[in-house]
Amino acid sequence: MGLPEIWFGVIVAAWVLFFVLEGFDFGVGMIAGLARRPLHERDAAVRTIAPTWDGNEVWLVGAIGLMFAIFPEWYASVLSSLYLPMVLILLALAARGVALEFRGKYHGEGEERWKSRCDTVMALASLLVVALWGAVVAVLARGLAINQEGEVVGSSWTRSIDPLLTWQAAAGAAGGVLTALLVGALFLSLRTTGPLRNWARGLAFRVGGVVTAGALVAAALTTEPVVALIAVPALLATVAAHLGREGLAFTGGALTIALATVLGLAWHAPTLLPSTLDPAWSVTMDGAITSDFSLGVISWAALFIMPAVLIYQAFSYWVFRRRITSERVVTA
Amino acid sequence: MDVTDLARLQFAVTTVYHYLFVPLSMSLSLLTAGFHTAWLRTRHEHLKQVTVLCGQLLLITFAVGVVTGLVQEFQFGLSWSSFARFYGDVFGPTLAIEGMLAFFLEATFLGLWFFGWDRLPRGVHLATIWIVAIGTQLSAFIILSANSFMQNPIGYSIDAETGRAELNDFSTLLFNKLNLAAYPHAATGALMTGGALLLAVSVWNQLRRPSSIGSDRAAVRVMGRVGAWVMVVAGAGTAITGDRLGVVITEVQPMKMAAAEALYSTTTGAPFSLFSYAGPGEAEPSIKIDIPGLLSFLATHNFHGTVQGINDLQAQYVQQYGDGNYVPWVPVAFWSFRLMIGVGMTAAALAALYLLVTRKDRDLPAFLHTPRLRPVAVLVPVVIGLMPLAANAIGWIFTETARQPWLAFGLFKTGDGVSSGLTAAEVVISLVGFTLVYGVLAVVWVRLLCRLVRSGPGAEHAGHGGDHGDDHADGHGDPHASSPDPGAADRLALTY
């Protein structure tokens, strides 16, 4: 195993961190906007993710940046071939981030209406983002109709949408939404107190059951037994949520997403992006790798920087480790 | 318009928009850190109010900067994949290191600062905002090195087999002499935007609420004075660094300076033209107002220096790179160059005037408050706040359009960079999407900014996290903090 393989692993790890960390942010976002919980509970829910979501989203910047740096061909092929879905993801991410950040900065008359609007935008954007990412990961595992230049073929404007119109992509989208909802509910049950905590735990139990069953169905449909493995951590999360073991349940939820991400991205390794037209046109690790010099620069930089990033991000989670109360305190 | 033109338009729209928020973040983080430090040293209450207001402005600005920056990072792959393949080896590491080194710092520590008031020891808490400020500067420097490569490609070699650019010297790329001139110019220009925002907020409050200013007076005053000082000092810095940058550009991109000056023939002792008009179909302008020798001085620091003209450079480039049109769009270059300087310097002059008028604890002159003048006077802060932002944006329009037809100067043409499979319809759809969403973001951002500004630097909006329903280890802490509608004072939950 050489540097290219190690770096492929690091990039997959960066995607895993993004999907797990932002997974619960999106899940909490969906819950806050769509579950019709009272305002003080929505406030508490948003408070659980507000200090750290930005740091979590940076893992997307990291993952994409590293793809560009290590396998420029992979970066270029994936983004240009999935042009419109990617643009839609970016627009939804923009709406989500701004709604989340702006919702608490408006005080005085009309504050409640403002927050409700922000919550709705945040929820719908979160839903769109996880559905699209789920579909994209499924599509990447399936392969794209890319030509010799690494670009998806076709001259109509639907060129980059067509790959998403398959049942695998639909299943990926459903999987994305459900797993995000699962970790979102588990995160809330871990970080809040009172009625919201209990309600979130119950939601996690129900969603966890659906995710477990869904993984088994997906394994049967794809006739790939390895997909059934995803059901294991999902089941763990479901059972642990029922037993009130919140830490264990959250670990199970995170592992579910991690496993699905690794399977999706590394399905064809060492091929990075298979061409469904001609295997010779597939983007491979060896073909897409950057020059030795660049690889050296980025490797040395990462060796020093990455551990520091992980340490200070862990520090920020430690600082905000206390539970957030969702109980309405009546003042005399 | 063909695909390339549309993709260029999209890149221009998204970049200029993104760059409204970048310089504001760069300067507001420094200003917030400065006010926070000053408050801890003096313990003056009004400095805390200003710190919190600055921090709020920084946070909403940073949020828009992040989401629009993400679009930029994706865009090289989305619409410019041929260019991404060509120079991914050079640009990829730069972009990845910027993300890992600087962007993670900014995003994580801004969250820690904003929500960490009552959870971090005060020294650590102060350090978090300084880390954000340093992170933004670092981020700008590294990204500008990638841009400098496109203006003045160095530190690479061309792979004989694939025909692609490969990095061979990272420190050369990072410390490109163009970057060493461009970064200080961008940094001082950015500082002016934050100073202008503070000054604008201050003047607006002074004009709008002269009677209720009492308790906030110290805070409003310090914002205005500090903002104006920052504008004046950074304005001088922008002029000095701009002068230096002009010399380096003349050296590495002579065509850009020739276009900026609409100088068609190579001239010794070239004049600086204040105004130039070329009628339709005329190659040379028919109406000109010139200052003799000044251009030569600006470009070479010698009144009798020789500046190359557009026609001679065009002939030289045809010989060097083959047939083609190597002349950028001259009117855009000429006017954007003048507007950038004019708008920026006028803003600095207005700030100097403010310092003069309000010296020795004086208030703004009473005639501004007369019923007839006030509606007009209130527009002044709006204009002041926008001027440096406009100058920054126009400066980038100049830098990027006057580089055409090159993506990487002398190395890779814009027309060759666009994704090979991309259709015009796809770009139209995404362009409409970006325009709509960015438009809504702008409206909401401005509305929110106005609300923060309207409430002034007092305690009203100074909630530390914004969302109440505060956290408590035991679930029954301060009852006010999680009451459904806490009063204004309760939101000031800044505890040390």
Side-chain angles (χ1 to χ4, degrees):
Chain A
M1 199 165 82
L3 266 184
E5 286 80 16
I6 293 174
W7 265 113
F8 176 70
V10 172
I11 292 170
V12 172
W15 279 112
V16 165
L17 275 168
F18 169 67
F19 283 127
V20 169
L21 294 174
E22 275 278 87
F24 61 71
D25 290 344
F26 293 129
V28 170
M30 282 190 275
I31 291 169
L34 296 174
R36 294 171 186 272
R37 303 296 295 174
L39 180 66
H40 62 277
E41 287 195 8
R42 282 187 275 138
D43 284 344
V46 173
R47 264 310 287 277
T48 63
I49 58 170
T52 44
W53 77 270
D54 217 353
N56 294 343
E57 184 163 293
V58 180
W59 282 104
L60 176 60
V61 177
I64 284 284
L66 287 175
M67 268 172 85
F68 198 176
I70 311 292
F71 304 108
E73 194 75 37
W74 191 25
Y75 162 89
S77 297
V78 169
L79 291 187
S80 61
S81 295
L82 293 172
Y83 183 86
L84 286 179
M86 287 294 175
V87 167
L88 207 52
I89 286 175
L90 290 172
L91 293 176
L93 277 175
R96 192 285 304 244
V98 169
L100 172 55
E101 209 58 84
F102 285 10
R103 96 185 271 282
K105 307 290 178 299
Y106 186 107
H107 301 298
E109 203 186 329
E111 183 173 333
E112 191 168 338
R113 200 179 58 224
W114 168 262
K115 281 185 169 177
S116 294
R117 269 190 205 159
C118 284
D119 288 343
T120 308
V121 172
M122 178 170 65
L124 295 177
S126 299
L127 184 76
L128 190 60
V129 169
V130 286
L132 281 167
W133 273 126
V136 163
V137 170
V139 162
L140 292 180
R142 202 171 168 266
L144 281 167
I146 51 173
N147 60 19
Q148 205 158 3
E149 289 170 335
E151 307 274 327
V152 91
V153 294
S155 53
S156 95
W157 66 272
T158 56
R159 173 187 75 108
S160 62
I161 298 176
D162 286 340
L164 267 62
L165 305 177
T166 58
W167 70 265
Q168 289 96 334
V177 173
L178 286 169
T179 49
L181 212 51
L182 173 64
V183 281
L186 289 169
F187 188 70
L188 279 182
S189 72
L190 195 61
R191 290 293 319 281
T192 60
T193 60
L196 179 60
R197 178 185 183 179
N198 297 328
W199 176 83
R201 206 193 284 164
L203 178 69
F205 174 68
R206 292 194 299 278
V207 176
V210 179
V211 171
T212 309
L216 295 174
V217 172
L221 283 174
T222 52
T223 63
E224 299 282 0
V226 68
V227 173
L229 276 181
I230 299 174
V232 177
L235 186 65
L236 171 73
T238 313
V239 173
H242 188 62
L243 298 176
R245 299 280 305 275
E246 290 163 346
L248 191 65
F250 183 75
T251 311
L255 282 175
T256 309
I257 292 184
L259 195 58
T261 309
V262 171
L263 279 179
L265 293 178
W267 191 265
H268 297 281
T271 295
L272 297 170
L273 179 62
S275 169
T276 54
L277 300 177
D278 182 346
W281 296 339
S282 297
V283 179
T284 62
M285 251 184 242
D286 286 341
I289 193 82
T290 191
S291 73
D292 288 347
F293 185 85
S294 287
L295 204 56
V297 168
I298 190 78
S299 298
W300 278 109
L303 203 59
F304 289 99
I305 301 169
M306 282 307 220
V309 171
L310 290 170
I311 288 169
Y312 66 63
Q313 286 219 327
F315 169 71
S316 101
Y317 274 94
W318 183 78
V319 168
F320 300 111
R321 70 195 176 281
R322 278 185 282 173
R323 281 187 189 270
I324 290 172
T325 178
S326 62
E327 278 160 85
R328 183 189 289 261
V329 181
V330 182
T331 47
Chain B
M1 282 210 270
D2 62 1
V3 178
T4 305
D5 291 335
L6 285 165
R8 279 184 63 189
L9 182 62
Q10 175 165 286
F11 205 93
V13 168
T14 51
T15 307
V16 167
Y17 190 83
H18 175 57
Y19 205 75
L20 295 177
F21 302 93
V22 171
L24 275 176
S25 297
M26 284 169 73
S27 50
L28 283 174
S29 59
L30 269 175
L31 287 165
T32 309
F35 280 121
H36 193 158
T37 310
W39 166 49
L40 282 185
R41 287 181 72 105
T42 63
R43 290 286 164 169
H44 290 155
E45 189 59 23
H46 67 274
L47 289 176
K48 179 161 80 172
Q49 294 172 359
V50 178
T51 308
V52 171
L53 178 62
C54 255
Q56 300 253 25
L57 296 174
L58 170 63
L59 203 75
I60 63 168
T61 305
F62 188 78
V64 187
V66 171
V67 296
T68 53
L70 204 54
V71 173
Q72 297 307 101
E73 197 196 23
F74 275 62
Q75 204 162 182
F76 297 98
L78 290 171
S79 351
W80 300 95
S81 63
S82 298
F83 186 53
R85 289 193 177 93
F86 171 76
Y87 93 140
D89 205 279
V90 175
F91 189 54
T94 320
L95 198 67
I97 287 173
E98 190 265 342
M100 289 192 299
L101 191 63
F103 202 41
F104 269 113
L105 272 186
E106 295 169 61
T108 310
F109 282 89
L110 188 57
L112 271 168
W113 181 77
F114 199 76
F115 293 90
W117 288 88
D118 51 355
R119 244 153 294 184
L120 291 167
R122 84 181 57 141
V124 177
H125 186 230
L126 178 65
T128 58
I129 188 68
W130 277 108
I131 291 173
V132 174
I134 293 164
T136 56
Q137 299 298 318
L138 207 58
S139 187
F141 182 82
I142 301 175
I143 286 298
L144 281 178
S145 78
N147 181 268
S148 296
F149 176 86
M150 291 165 76
Q151 317 285 351
N152 178 37
I154 49 166
Y156 73 99
S157 59
I158 296 290
D159 184 285
E161 209 178 299
T162 59
R164 288 173 190 175
E166 291 195 347
L167 187 64
N168 63 17
D169 190 340
F170 190 59
S171 61
T172 301
L173 178 93
L174 216 49
F175 301 106
N176 191 332
K177 81 174 154 189
L178 186 74
N179 191 28
L180 294 183
Y183 166 73
H185 191 55
T188 46
L191 257 183
M192 287 184 77
T193 64
L197 185 60
L198 285 197
L199 177 60
V201 171
S202 169
V203 172
W204 197 90
N205 272 286
Q206 291 176 53
L207 291 173
R208 204 57 200 266
R209 314 184 306 159
S211 53
S212 63
I213 212 80
S215 60
D216 289 349
R217 185 169 184 273
V220 168
R221 210 180 138 72
V222 80
M223 279 173 73
R225 298 281 297 179
V226 170
W229 271 114
V230 166
M231 278 174 81
V232 169
V233 173
T238 314
I240 295 166
T241 53
D243 170 62
R244 167 91 199 114
L245 180 58
V247 174
V248 178
I249 291 177
T250 310
E251 206 183 312
V252 301
Q253 290 176 302
M255 184 61 105
K256 184 181 275 184
M257 278 320 258
E261 277 313 321
L263 182 76
Y264 282 85
S265 320
T266 299
T267 313
T268 302
F272 182 92
S273 68
L274 283 178
F275 183 87
S276 161
Y277 173 77
E282 287 178 299
E284 295 262 357
S286 49
I287 308 167
K288 283 175 105 167
I289 304 171
D290 293 343
I291 303 174
L294 185 60
L295 173 58
S296 281
F297 182 77
L298 289 177
T300 63
H301 283 184
N302 176 354
F303 281 107
H304 303 291
T306 302
V307 183
Q308 290 174 285
I310 293 171
N311 295 337
D312 303 279
L313 284 165
Q314 164 69 16
Q316 181 195 321
Y317 289 159
V318 167
Q319 271 196 344
Q320 218 171 331
Y321 306 115
D323 277 340
N325 181 7
Y326 298 95
V327 185
W329 197 359
V330 176
V332 170
F334 181 88
W335 286 112
S336 60
F337 190 65
R338 270 147 198 78
L339 262 178
M340 166 185 76
I341 296 172
V343 171
M345 290 302 112
T346 309
L350 285 174
L353 181 68
Y354 176 85
L355 287 176
L356 192 71
V357 169
T358 61
R359 72 191 186 283
K360 290 184 190 153
D361 209 36
R362 283 176 215 187
D363 284 319
L364 283 177
F367 72 85
L368 289 173
H369 297 299
T370 52
R372 192 180 296 173
L373 210 53
R374 223 175 82 180
V376 186
V378 172
L379 290 176
V380 171
V382 178
V383 174
I384 291 178
L386 288 176
M387 284 173 92
L389 271 179
N392 272 268
I394 296 167
W396 274 112
I397 289 171
F398 166 67
T399 298
E400 299 298 284
T401 57
R403 186 191 61 221
Q404 301 303 329
W406 300 104
L407 265 178
F409 188 78
L411 197 59
F412 195 91
K413 284 191 178 160
T414 307
D416 301 328
V418 82
S419 304
S420 63
L422 194 65
T423 65
E426 285 175 308
V427 193
V428 169
I429 293 170
S430 60
L431 187 54
V432 169
F434 283 125
T435 309
L436 285 178
V437 172
Y438 280 15
V440 173
L441 286 193
V443 170
V444 179
W445 183 80
V446 168
R447 251 185 81 187
L448 209 50
L449 187 89
C450 290
R451 276 195 73 90
L452 287 174
V453 169
R454 207 168 298 147
S455 52
E460 265 180 274
H461 51 76
H464 71 307
D467 304 297
H468 32 98
D470 204 350
D471 28 343
H472 302 283
D474 49 8
H476 57 77
D478 173 12
H480 297 288
S482 52
S483 63
D485 183 26
D490 295 327
R491 287 220 182 82
L492 190 69
L494 309 175
T495 51
Y496 264 165

